Amino acid sequence: MHLSTKYFLQIMKDTVGHCIDSKCSPTLRLYSQTKSQIFFHTKNFRNACIVPSSQGGVQPWRQFSYKDLLKSEQKHFSAFKSNYTEKTERLKQRLEAHYEKYSSNLGSLVIKIGEYVYFEENGCICRSRLEEADEGNIEVLFNMEDLPFCDFLIQRIRISPDHRYIAVGIKSANSEDSASIIVKLSTQPVIERIIPNVFSFEWATNDILFYTIQKNLRCHEVYFYDFSKKLSELVYTEQDARYFVDLYCTKDKRFLTINSNSKTTSEVWLIDCHHPFKPPVIVQQRTKGVIYHVEHRNNYLYILTTDGDPMGYKLPAWACSLELEPHPEYTSSTCYFWLASPVQPPIRFAYSLVENKLIELTEQEMPIAVNCHAVRLEAKSKDEIWVPITVFHKANSVELHRKPLLIHVYGAYGTDVNMSFKPENLMLIEDGWMLAYCHVRGGGELGLAWHKDGCTTKKHNGIHDLKACINLLHKLGFSCPMYTALASLSAGGVLAGALYNSDPHLIRAMVLQSPFLDVLNTMLDPHLPLTIEEQEEWGNPLVDENCKEYIKSYCPYQNIRPQHYPSVFITVSENDQRVPLAGLLRYICKLRKAVRDYAEAKTTDEKGLQMPSVILDVQPGGSHCASSWEDSLNQVAVQLTFLYNELGLDTQK
């Protein structure tokens, strides 16, 4: 299948007609023909950046432009990287070996519908008949290399009920750009349409595709496109800026659900796939604090809701994450799912609803318990609430108090700390590292109440929880401060950055990926795309002075002060819309000044303290914690080089 540039431009010209707002004027730039351009809005850079003179000691300060400060940080990072080229390359080679060994366990998009199986492989969408899947009779339906999209990844596949169309969702690895590409499956597959800025999409009938449009990180509109009549129409608009809209198709294909969710509340509308042109019907009006999801079977709606008393569940002792197999046959009496842990590749299980029996389907070389211990602990926080901790370490490790410890934390949005499998974790375990995951308040590990007890005016609870977890680990002999590092990403940077200010003596180094560190200034700017949506998590300092003071009391940027800090390594994308680079440049600038001020004011007893390394790695593009495989591998190698160096470890086994 070949797509000429002329044909592509015509498709895009026809496609953008669904934009009914006269202010919407999409511009197409072919990535294969131009270099990506980055545009910075002045509202992101209200506060001037200041940096110290490059001379020795602390000299009179002067204002630098954003461009000058960015160049300064890039030069600083290049110097750091050049000093450890050999170590980084050695770690990268080991990482590549682990990724290659376990890549088959990480899975890819696979959908079984009727007599066909559809799957993604090396940037291609392929299909084969079920009975021929093992015989190599594969039909290539779609190839990303035929399209002028550079560094776009396939994220979603949806097949029309009659198998005449396939809709493919793609997203840039370097920005928030996305699109849906619809291919007509005939003897020679043909691209029927490309719809830009699509976030989610589902087929209602053989010819009608419903989809949501994301603008400026917000998703508020639902459209349908009728391929038989070649027209699109707006179906639903969410008026509340705090809400985000996506689509879901019930497993029996009878209804599409329009799910409008804020951080704490949800509302669901139904579209009858038998009558797709009828207006959506509401299931239950939004009730503050109540989240619900809808499924359908045999003329009954099944509603999963947070209203009422929650029930618990049980898993194998080592399991830390569960993922249902996508697109199951809704008539099946067997449920298929995957269990994994940070150090255990996914294992496929089947649960028979008839026999009430659990069956392990994945063959593995060695059970996890043979090589790695999983330990469950609980730390008592400041208000005497018990906080869970999960620890992994090599089974035969001795003198754990002298082993390196990497602590992970998140604690925001009611989202669990990420405990999915990562090959690099096995490499760390082999090298004697211990991995600890702190399930602090603000996350979702213990339900909605756990989240509510760590958001808005209770953010300090998560900070106290993290401190209690680290203290307990050290008290029980799991490493010590000089061999302890802290890691987090995105909104998890708030708790990590807060502890970095309040209790720097507990850790030796910190690694952050696209961290949120300037909470107050961000929440005071209503023009930023996510400020209004985020108010349910952080509060609204625009109208509430008490909220403003509370955020100020823990905000990592606001609480930097002259003291002995651990070393820190921060990775960020240059055009990240969710965590603007300007805020991190301000943070780094202020931190460097505090480090220099403290160095100048040291007492005689403090003169022996080592100066911390402060590293900012600015990656090109606009990805937020989701780089391409190669870029991600390089970033992990550099970050681990930093940790091995700061903790005085050898990168060789």
Side-chain angles (χ1 to χ4, degrees), residues 392-393 404-406 428-429 431-435 643-644 647 649:
F392 298 92
H393 65 84
L405 170 66
L406 182 58
L428 292 174
I429 293 293
D431 285 2
W433 284 77
M434 295 174 287
L435 307 177
L643 289 178
Y644 276 77
L647 273 61
L649 306 174

Side-chain angles (χ1 to χ4, degrees), residues 246-265:
D246 68 3
L247 295 172
Y248 170 75
C249 184
T250 59
K251 290 181 172 61
D252 62 359
K253 312 299 182 185
R254 176 61 196 276
F255 292 101
L256 299 187
T257 63
I258 299 175
N259 308 293
S260 190
N261 303 294
S262 74
K263 294 292 187 291
T264 62
T265 306

Side-chain angles (χ1 to χ4, degrees), residues 23-187:
K23 297 178 182 178
C24 178
S25 55
T27 300
L28 174 66
R29 296 185 67 87
L30 301 184
Y31 286 82
S32 60
Q33 298 174 355
T34 64
K35 294 182 179 179
S36 57
Q37 296 188 6
I38 301 169
F39 301 93
F40 296 98
H41 301 283
T42 54
K43 65 174 179 283
N44 292 339
F45 311 111
R46 299 164 301 167
N47 302 335
C49 297
I50 52 176
V51 296
S53 166
S54 59
Q55 305 300 319
V58 178
Q59 301 295 327
W61 289 62
R62 63 187 180 91
Q63 289 196 349
F64 265 55
S65 70
Y66 168 85
K67 186 176 180 181
D68 289 336
L69 188 52
L70 177 57
K71 282 185 176 180
S72 174
E73 290 301 329
Q74 289 172 329
K75 183 178 180 181
H76 189 81
F77 174 72
S78 295
F80 161 81
K81 193 174 181 180
S82 64
N83 289 333
Y84 301 101
T85 302
E86 185 178 339
K87 281 187 177 181
T88 303
E89 185 59 32
R90 195 157 57 231
L91 279 170
K92 183 180 177 181
Q93 290 175 2
R94 294 182 60 202
L95 284 169
E96 286 176 334
H98 279 77
Y99 271 81
E100 289 175 2
K101 181 177 181 180
Y102 296 104
S103 60
S104 60
N105 295 93
L106 301 181
S108 60
L109 293 171
V110 177
I111 299 177
K112 297 178 182 178
I113 299 180
E115 61 182 9
Y116 288 102
V117 56
Y118 297 81
F119 57 94
E120 183 268 336
E121 186 173 287
N122 299 324
C124 296
I125 301 297
C126 309
R127 78 172 174 184
S128 65
R129 294 183 181 274
L130 283 174
E131 66 273 12
E132 300 176 351
D134 297 330
E135 299 176 7
N137 296 328
I138 296 173
E139 179 185 5
V140 177
L141 306 176
F142 174 90
N143 190 340
M144 285 295 295
E145 292 184 355
D146 292 333
L147 297 175
F149 289 104
C150 180
D151 295 328
F152 272 69
L153 305 175
I154 296 173
Q155 290 202 318
R156 192 173 196 164
I157 305 171
R158 293 294 183 267
I159 316 298
S160 64
D162 61 358
H163 296 257
R164 284 196 302 122
Y165 293 100
I166 179 173
V168 181
I170 62 173
K171 184 182 182 299
S172 170
N174 299 312
S175 72
E176 298 291 340
D177 294 340
S178 62
S180 178
I181 302 173
I182 297 87
V183 179
K184 189 173 184 178
L185 303 179
S186 54
T187 305

